[in-house]
Amino acid sequence: MQTSMPNWLMQRAFLTPDRTAVQYDGGKKTFSELHDAVLKRARQLAGLGISKGDIVALLMKNSIDMIEIIHALHYIGAIVLLQNTRLTSSELSWQLEDSQAKYLLVDDELAERISDFSHIRIVKTSELLSLPEQECRLQQEYHLDDTATIMYTSGTTGKPKGVLQTYGNHWWSAVGSALNLGLRETDCWLAAVPFFHISGLSILMRSVIYGISVYVMHGFDAKKANDILIQGKATIMSVVSAMLQQMLSELGERTYPDTFRCMLLGGGPAPNPLLEACRDKRIPVYQTYGMTETASQIVTLAPEYSFTKLGSAGKPLFPAQIRIENNGQIARPNEPGEIVVKGPNVTKGYLNRPDATEQALKDGWFYTGDIGYMDEEGFLYVLDRRSDLIISGGENIYPAEIEAVLLSHEAVEEAGVTGMADEKWGQIPCAFVKLKEGCEVTAEELSGFCKERLAKYKVPKQIYFVEELPRNAAKKLLRRKLAELIPKSGGTK
Amino acid sequence: MQTSMPNWLMQRAFLTPDRTAVQYDGGKKTFSELHDAVLKRARQLAGLGISKGDIVALLMKNSIDMIEIIHALHYIGAIVLLQNTRLTSSELSWQLEDSQAKYLLVDDELAERISDFSHIRIVKTSELLSLPEQECRLQQEYHLDDTATIMYTSGTTGKPKGVLQTYGNHWWSAVGSALNLGLRETDCWLAAVPFFHISGLSILMRSVIYGISVYVMHGFDAKKANDILIQGKATIMSVVSAMLQQMLSELGERTYPDTFRCMLLGGGPAPNPLLEACRDKRIPVYQTYGMTETASQIVTLAPEYSFTKLGSAGKPLFPAQIRIENNGQIARPNEPGEIVVKGPNVTKGYLNRPDATEQALKDGWFYTGDIGYMDEEGFLYVLDRRSDLIISGGENIYPAEIEAVLLSHEAVEEAGVTGMADEKWGQIPCAFVKLKEGCEVTAEELSGFCKERLAKYKVPKQIYFVEELPRNAAKKLLRRKLAELIPKSGGTK
């Protein structure tokens, strides 16, 4: 089967040049105008020496510049490594080292974070925009097997791995979503989630594939988002529970026009009161399950099932399949096991990690590490995210990563981290620490130690000192039992 | 890249079991009900001995039975050869012989046409419906490279070739169309064109891929079609000019509701008065260009360009590309040449015709044999269908095929066939014949001779006797000059 197709934005600029491609504070661009701008950026990037196959890291916040640069790198055939702007300098540095990225393009406001990276060419956005142009060879076609983007995600070991997302992954993800949500020429997707997450990047990909516009927010702002939706300027929005909750609070007695047709909710099932509030306001909420490795949602629950299938993530997108495995067998309905997924939107593997790839991908099936079950009708229920994953305000937090930092402190003997329910963020990370004999350290000191090494959202909000951590017979840490250690009188921090 | 996906109807029955899949005179079925019916048919067909890879011919008119049988054959993994019900016994027989089909499933009303086929197992629809069931292995997944269907089409030589249409061809055609026309859960596609043509079959494929319903007409009827559309029972319809013309005449002062969103027009550009009438009635007409080898439309003209780009077939679907070649070079804008197309909806070739396949497909580009040009903005204008193809009421007629029949008559020395404009059918075939010296035959006799050997729509409506046929220096027949031979006083028949 043919595995190439026309360069998406170029094809859009050819087929529907005058449709709006992107709206942002201060302006908008048609597909034709976006293509022209991207062409210029591509020539500027080529002038830097960037060429096909190079890995180029991006440390940027949502903006028209970021959109242009992502497309421009794809025009050249470079692989875009999208970095989370909330990471610390050492976390960023680790990714750059591991990926062997040759360039780092960084927003001026974030540049101080990366001042000590000597092994890589760093270019600030402001510099880039004024670079001279150079003729370059453009990718007229995208090869669906080629890697388009890389995003780092942590696993059970806490060691982040670069997830390879191909053009084909993005393409099929977009097509699967359209077959589920439908598609209208007049659609506009509000992008308030970051482009360095797959939830945000997938909006950009859909925009050029569908020929619809994306409304870019520099950062999430509940009032601004509500204003945009109330004015009918967007018809679909991607959110996590915490965002939706804030928007509902801010919304008050108002609601959105009937043209608003989809609130695509990621990052775990929504709490019942939130769903009820949305139902009362006729806001259609589509709950989803997905991950970096599936290039966005792979399972979706249509609004009509919000209450009859409360807590479910729904059914797979049309081209995808899911099954539950328990001890190597396909589980019966309602029997929990590992969630295993298959589909053309699933990653081809991890950058330079053949072992991890082989472990996760078998016969085209991807082992998510998440635990769940399917009911008799095939609706998926997710019980536990992989490796006790904590999802806080839509950000993935891997306990093992925080534990590793805590364990690197000279006073710490053992550490365990788990997520605690939080009204605003869904979950927050909490740590349980056993100190070395004779050592002393305060929770404040440990928290400060973490802050230097971890993105703020990963820093434990509570640190409890305990005598012993719960472990099974094989001494494996039982993170889910950590919460039982919390003293009745409250936290020590 | 992954090249398999879940069996389409099975996946639909799983994902959206309660949506209406098909409506027909006397009833309707949900995807779940359709799946159950197809499962039964598959077991009955398996009972006949049909298994994966077998070529099974269908000689049927549009009906729920035909839909179930097509899906059932795909459940088993058989390849469906769709035969035009208007062909003569000898034309049908030739296809069966050439394809080595093992079975022929035929509507009772058409069975007399095939009474003398001894080399093939023939089963009437009525028999099939009461056959016992047998357990069989079902295709849980469709492999996109596998052949799903075969349709015969004639070429320059007049010798029909079996076009291989893969699951991938149908899939990408459906996706390309959705990205162009949009997609709504509430869509319903009125199928008044025959399923043995790609224009009709592609509706069935879209129905299960999109999860929308198809409204089946046994045969085209302008009044019935108008009633369905006026009542808002369908939102999209596939037509050829002759059908649309009849519907407009029948429609009178009425028009369709706003929910009707697309009249997909194949078989050549529409005449201006027809487009104007549609515009006045706010009927959105999408003109298209496509062929059996592209699994339906590959180029489409949006209604907003109907008049500014009068006569154009439009621009390619998103995953597809077109170019014009002239003497092996890519033509400049407005320079005519051969239309060459590329895309994942393009056939992988002709059944058992490696030479013809190699000639038509080069580096993924398909040489259509049609002549056309692209304007500066990339809009395609089709000047001549391949090999002087005549399109009459949506049916393709290849002059060479009719000429071969005429030449087989003992009195005929030379024959040339061309299409003449006709108000009702768009075009009709007309023949120009030079008799052997000393021989005599009337136009009526020749017409009767053709009727025994050719489908009725292929029989020349006018036969002119001439002294000499127009030929170039290489003695190649110049079919386009035939019309100049018509005596001023009118035809001889």
Side-chain angles (χ1 to χ4, degrees), chain B residues 194-264:
Chain B
F195 295 141
F196 59 73
H197 274 179
I198 187 60
S199 57
L201 182 71
S202 60
I203 299 173
L204 288 193
M205 300 293 130
R206 292 185 203 111
S207 162
V208 288
I209 291 169
Y210 299 169
I212 65 167
S213 84
V214 43
Y215 201 114
V216 188
M217 291 188 78
H218 188 59
F220 173 65
D221 179 300
K223 185 183 177 312
K224 262 194 183 172
N226 276 336
D227 288 347
I228 290 166
L229 297 189
I230 288 168
Q231 290 163 34
K233 289 182 180 168
T235 59
I236 306 178
M237 181 180 184
S238 297
V239 292
V240 297
S241 287
M243 291 165 68
L244 186 53
Q245 190 72 69
Q246 288 178 53
M247 289 174 72
L248 274 179
S249 302
E250 203 279 331
L251 197 56
E253 296 302 309
R254 302 168 299 169
T255 189
Y256 309 133
D258 286 342
T259 47
F260 182 76
R261 65 189 197 82
C262 170
M263 199 61 98
L264 198 67

Side-chain angles (χ1 to χ4, degrees), chain B residues 92-299:
Chain B
L92 294 169
S93 180
W94 195 90
Q95 291 186 4
L96 295 173
E97 193 80 49
D98 182 72
S99 65
Q100 295 289 301
K102 288 190 182 174
Y103 300 84
L104 171 60
L105 310 182
V106 59
D107 274 344
D108 295 49
E109 57 174 310
L110 299 168
E112 61 184 33
R113 195 90 60 82
I114 44 86
S115 51
D116 60 341
F117 300 172
S118 54
H119 57 291
I120 193 168
R121 173 84 189 264
I122 297 168
V123 184
K124 290 185 196 172
T125 308
S126 61
E127 291 170 36
L128 176 66
L129 300 186
S130 56
L131 282 176
E133 299 176 41
Q134 183 181 301
E135 277 306 308
C136 61
R137 195 180 166 79
L138 301 175
Q139 282 206 108
Q140 301 291 331
E141 293 190 348
Y142 287 163
H143 293 268
L144 298 185
D145 287 332
D146 282 354
T147 301
T149 47
I150 297 173
M151 292 181 187
Y152 271 79
T153 177
S154 299
T156 40
T157 64
K159 197 105 173 160
K161 299 187 291 280
V163 178
L164 302 172
Q165 296 161 336
T166 63
Y167 288 95
N169 294 151
H170 291 304
W171 167 262
W172 285 85
S173 168
V175 168
S177 182
L179 291 177
N180 184 45
L181 300 178
L183 174 60
R184 291 156 197 230
E185 193 183 307
T186 50
D187 275 334
C188 173
W189 208 300
L190 178 54
V193 285
F195 295 141
F196 59 73
H197 274 179
I198 187 60
S199 57
L201 182 71
S202 60
I203 299 173
L204 288 193
M205 300 293 130
R206 292 185 203 111
S207 162
V208 288
I209 291 169
Y210 299 169
I212 65 167
S213 84
V214 43
Y215 201 114
V216 188
M217 291 188 78
H218 188 59
F220 173 65
D221 179 300
K223 185 183 177 312
K224 262 194 183 172
N226 276 336
D227 288 347
I228 290 166
L229 297 189
I230 288 168
Q231 290 163 34
K233 289 182 180 168
T235 59
I236 306 178
M237 181 180 184
S238 297
V239 292
V240 297
S241 287
M243 291 165 68
L244 186 53
Q245 190 72 69
Q246 288 178 53
M247 289 174 72
L248 274 179
S249 302
E250 203 279 331
L251 197 56
E253 296 302 309
R254 302 168 299 169
T255 189
Y256 309 133
D258 286 342
T259 47
F260 182 76
R261 65 189 197 82
C262 170
M263 199 61 98
L264 198 67
L265 178 79
N272 210 9
L274 182 59
L275 290 175
E276 282 170 352
C278 287
R279 180 188 54 189
D280 293 347
K281 287 185 172 294
R282 287 181 296 120
I283 301 171
V285 177
Y286 291 76
Q287 297 176 84
T288 68
Y289 166 72
M291 59 211 79
T292 309
E293 286 91 337
T294 58
S296 157
Q297 37 158 349
I298 187 164
V299 176

Side-chain angles (χ1 to χ4, degrees), chain B residues 46-74:
Chain B
L48 279 176
I50 297 174
S51 61
K52 189 168 164 63
D54 285 344
I55 296 181
V56 179
L58 248 59
L59 185 63
M60 301 180 73
K61 289 194 176 174
N62 285 11
S63 67
I64 179 69
D65 292 333
M66 187 178 186
I67 293 177
E68 288 173 9
I69 290 169
I70 291 171
H71 287 308
L73 288 167
H74 285 165

Side-chain angles (χ1 to χ4, degrees), chain B residues 9-10 21 35 51-52 87 152 157 168 170 205 213 231-232 271 311 316 327 359 418 435 447 462:
Chain B
L9 175 55
M10 280 189 199
H35 166 70
S51 61
K52 189 168 164 63
L87 298 184
Y152 271 79
T157 64
H170 291 304
M205 300 293 130
S213 84
Q231 290 163 34
N327 293 321
Q359 207 180 342
T418 190
L435 294 181
S447 177
Q462 299 276 359

Side-chain angles (χ1 to χ4, degrees), chain A residues 1 6 54 142 154 206 262 296 303 337 357 379 397 406 443-444 456 467-468 470 472:
Chain A
M1 205 186 64
D54 285 345
Y142 286 163
S154 299
R206 291 185 204 111
C262 171
S296 157
T357 301
F379 284 87
I397 302 175
L406 287 167
E444 284 72 18
K456 197 176 159 201
E467 293 300 313
E468 201 182 354
N472 68 8

